[in-house]
Amino acid sequence: MDDLIIIGAGIVGLATARAVLEREPRTRITIVEKADAVATGQTGHNSGVVHAGLYYEPGSLKSELCRAGRLATIEFCEENAVPLGRVGKLVVATDERERARLDALADRSVANGIDIERIDAAEISRREPNIRGVQAVFSPGTSIVDFGLVARTMQARLEAAGVRLVFGADVRSIDEHGSAGAGEVRVRTADGAEYRARRLVACAGLQADRIARLGGLPVDFRIIPFRGEYFELVGQASLVRHLIYPVPDPSMPFLGVHLSPTIDGRITVGPNAVLGFARERYPRGAISAADMFDYLRFPGFWRMAFRHRRAAAIEARNSMFRRSYLAACRRYAPGLRLEDLGRRFAGVRAQAVRPDGSLVEDFLFERTARQLHVCNAPSPAATSAIPIGRLIAGQFAVGAR
């Protein structure tokens, strides 16, 4: 019997195993993952941004873990020769209304202890000749990385330390026996295999609510999938040097379409945020009837949809029409042309929604005597993965025998 089973081999699951071994190197750990490799979900389908923590409510887990995660991610990359680009980020206001919101964002950044610089229109043009705005906030601490490579590097280190990774393991049941002091958790997978351990940590991402229900937790939220669609710029690899973000719109639940240099020398545009018709299918038009039925019968979905109906209409229009998507980018990058929007690809965000239709904004953890479930891990979860793992290892005594 193992000391710990971890469900999910995304970056949070791998970082949790790493943190447990930091505390107790003798811990016997098995990671079960239904895909055939690590980082096939949200970890491998994102903008690759190591966030500094500009946006988050002071005192929230997001704020605290993001700031710690930025430093931990940089340290991990330096120690393991993982390429990291310290490109910095410009959050650009394009009119006077956005300028007021930018000032509020700058104040929040200062309250969070984030190093920023306020710059005017002339300085924006000097630093980024292809970008236009009336004012910007520059975050020098924002970086870029390939989080898939970070996860694969973690995998190699974990396997060298004796951690067992089992792929193709689709969890179908979780049974907990005994109290916190004595007992075990049994996990059965679709192929009939059984795994037993003293503790279980679930980092199941897009399946977090389903796995929590299997574990017997009283789940009152539902994971709603949102597609984040990107374009890759064609022939514009030198368009910008920094990450370029719009000022967040408080009526929209996500950060908006941005320009992202990647660690391999490309520039992506995106993502938008449209309702997904499948949790783990990435091609355009992919549908899972089971996934759709799951959220359509959830009252919180309809309340959320009504509350954000304006944002949903805008995002749907941008998804259907390239010209609308382009218009969102041209507010701050007026030189972009339709033909610059090349290959299209997507990720899927896991967003926990309450029965009242509210989005769960912060990280959410639920537990029983022998289980801990990461129920909501939105952006900046990849940036925050290492301190999330340490938080779990510290609060949930998985390593003691």
Side-chain angles (χ1 to χ4, degrees):
M1 182 171 71
D2 289 317
D3 297 307
L4 174 65
I5 293 171
I6 296 175
I7 297 175
I11 193 168
V12 175
L14 297 169
T16 298
R18 180 174 178 268
V20 170
L21 290 178
E22 284 179 343
R23 293 174 65 90
E24 177 46 74
R26 298 173 301 163
T27 306
R28 299 182 298 267
I29 303 174
T30 292
I31 302 175
V32 295
E33 166 59 53
K34 74 175 183 177
D36 59 3
V38 303
T40 62
Q42 294 176 109
T43 302
H45 295 84
N46 59 54
S47 300
V49 178
V50 183
H51 291 280
L54 305 182
Y55 305 101
Y56 313 120
E57 187 68 30
S60 66
L61 274 177
K62 269 191 178 183
S63 174
E64 295 173 6
L65 294 175
C66 183
R67 285 181 286 130
R70 182 185 75 86
L71 297 175
T73 302
I74 291 171
E75 181 181 30
F76 179 88
C77 291
E78 290 176 344
E79 289 178 350
N80 292 278
V82 174
L84 181 89
R86 299 178 188 247
V87 296
K89 175 200 290 186
L90 279 172
V91 183
V92 180
T94 59
D95 57 31
E96 292 307 312
R97 183 183 59 176
E98 289 186 351
R99 189 201 296 267
R101 297 205 301 262
L102 184 68
D103 287 339
L105 175 65
D107 291 342
R108 173 172 285 192
S109 301
V110 171
N112 276 322
I114 308 302
D115 181 24
I116 62 164
E117 179 185 356
R118 303 178 197 235
I119 62 175
D120 61 16
E123 184 63 13
I124 294 171
S125 295
R126 190 190 72 77
R127 297 189 188 190
E128 290 287 0
N130 296 305
I131 300 301
R132 296 292 178 268
V134 298
Q135 187 175 328
V137 164
F138 178 58
S139 165
T142 305
S143 302
I144 54 174
V145 77
D146 179 349
F147 281 113
L149 178 58
V150 172
R152 292 188 293 275
T153 304
M154 285 186 179
Q155 174 191 4
R157 302 295 184 268
L158 291 171
E159 289 179 325
V163 173
R164 177 173 58 151
L165 279 90
V166 181
F167 297 105
D170 188 0
V171 174
R172 294 298 174 85
S173 70
I174 301 172
D175 297 305
E176 180 176 344
H177 303 276
S179 65
E184 65 178 16
V185 181
R186 296 176 187 171
V187 173
R188 293 182 179 84
T189 55
D191 59 3
E194 180 179 274
Y195 304 90
R196 299 165 55 231
R198 298 174 56 250
R199 301 280 192 272
L200 178 143
V201 172
C203 305
L206 284 153
Q207 303 296 335
D209 54 343
R210 292 170 175 167
I211 294 297
R213 282 196 294 271
L214 288 180
L217 280 76
V219 174
D220 69 343
F221 65 89
R222 193 65 47 90
I223 293 295
I224 307 295
F226 285 90
R227 282 176 62 82
E229 298 170 332
Y230 297 82
F231 289 96
E232 182 179 329
L233 291 187
V234 176
Q236 293 277 18
S238 60
L239 181 73
V240 293
R241 297 172 48 241
H242 307 91
L243 293 152
I244 309 295
Y245 275 62
V247 179
D249 184 339
S251 70
M252 307 285 277
F254 302 114
L255 293 180
V257 173
H258 44 269
L259 296 173
S260 301
T262 65
I263 200 67
D264 59 356
R266 300 173 293 116
I267 295 179
T268 64
V269 185
N272 59 358
V274 292
L275 180 66
F277 301 138
R279 295 198 188 196
E280 295 177 314
R281 296 179 187 174
Y282 296 96
R284 190 167 172 80
I287 293 175
S288 165
D291 289 343
M292 290 182 64
F293 179 70
D294 198 31
Y295 63 68
L296 289 174
R297 65 178 179 171
F298 178 57
F301 166 75
W302 297 104
R303 296 183 178 111
M304 176 202 68
F306 180 78
R307 182 176 301 166
H308 297 287
R309 60 194 181 279
R310 174 182 170 272
I314 293 171
E315 295 287 3
R317 181 190 66 199
N318 290 350
S319 176
M320 290 187 289
F321 303 107
R322 278 195 185 204
R323 290 189 184 277
S324 294
Y325 200 108
L326 178 65
C329 307
R330 290 187 61 157
R331 286 181 58 81
Y332 53 81
L336 282 177
R337 305 163 300 170
L338 198 62
E339 55 266 33
D340 295 329
L341 301 183
R343 183 176 68 98
R344 192 170 191 158
F345 57 101
V348 181
R349 296 180 175 101
Q351 176 62 58
V353 177
R354 298 287 192 190
D356 65 358
S358 62
L359 307 183
V360 180
E361 299 287 355
D362 211 346
F363 297 122
L364 177 64
F365 304 91
E366 300 288 353
R367 60 179 298 175
T368 68
R370 310 192 72 78
Q371 302 176 55
L372 189 148
H373 291 248
V374 181
C375 293
N376 192 57
S379 180
T383 298
S384 307
I386 293 174
I388 288 174
R390 289 171 178 162
L391 178 68
I392 292 170
Q395 291 189 352
F396 200 42
V398 291
R401 292 232 244 282

